[in-house]
Amino acid sequence: MATTAAIPGSPAVGEALVRAEAARTAMARLLAVAGHDLKQPLQVALMAIERAVSDGVAPRAAARLGLASDALQRLGRELDDLARSSQAGDMRPRLAPVPLGPLLGAVKAEWQAYAEACGVRLRVQATRLVARTDATMLATILRNLVGNAVKYARPGGRVVVGCRRRGDRIDVVVLDDGPGIAPDRLTTLFEAFDRGGRRDGTGLGLGLHIVRQTAQALGHPVGVRSRPCRGSTFSVTVPRVAGRQPATRPARPETHG
């Protein structure tokens, strides 16, 4: 009985590649449009919350509305990340010296309330190091890594973010003491819709995919180390700019590798 196999350069392979590229383009367009259109109801919800607070509500209600507003703003930024990553081939980084201290502080502020609600201690080590990167794109990477660590941490756990100087490079590290990741899951961890083997319905598994897409566009290597029941360490390596940003408050000593 004859067996038919597609070989490189055959019409069947060419057609398959064309269909695959068309599907990728269609998905990218869908994600970009969805990311844009979903921002509109978010803006309406944010406006309604602001008006409710300005009309006068009890302090506890105002605090809860503030948390809701923060979450909606974070969702808006995540939609921007999703739309941007869907156009990964068109990403054009704008590289410039970026002080890491303020950037890490902004990421912490974005996730602090959620971490407290989850019973997770989120700590960012002070740094005066400066990287050559695209501030918006690096923030996307770190926002997803920190958010992922907080979501996967156990109540009472901790997430620590810091920098390690390694010659002319800097490792920005996000460490957690959560359940860890099985070794056989590490190779597919950054694929879309992969959730590290979790079955609890938390998230779609797009955060680390966005991290990989953005890091590749920047040329910043991303790494992960993990041991089951011992936690995980994610890192992104960025070029270091000579000199340091003047500290606005006492900074802890840098960790040198």
Side-chain angles (χ1 to χ4, degrees), residues 97-117:
V98 176
L100 293 176
L103 189 148
L104 294 180
V107 172
K108 178 185 179 182
E110 188 168 334
W111 284 106
Q112 184 67 55
Y114 181 80
E116 291 175 356

Side-chain angles (χ1 to χ4, degrees), residues 113 174 178 205:
V174 178

Side-chain angles (χ1 to χ4, degrees), residues 31-52:
L31 291 174
V33 171
H36 176 269
D37 289 354
L38 290 175
K39 293 291 291 292
Q40 297 177 12
L42 279 181
Q43 295 300 326
V44 174
L46 284 168
M47 187 179 300
I49 290 173
E50 291 174 1
R51 289 181 178 176

Side-chain angles (χ1 to χ4, degrees), residues 194-213:
D194 188 284
R195 297 169 51 246
R198 290 192 61 149
R199 298 285 189 270
D200 58 5
T202 303
L204 293 175
L206 290 174
L208 292 181
H209 178 65
I210 290 173
V211 166
R212 185 182 69 176
Q213 296 283 84

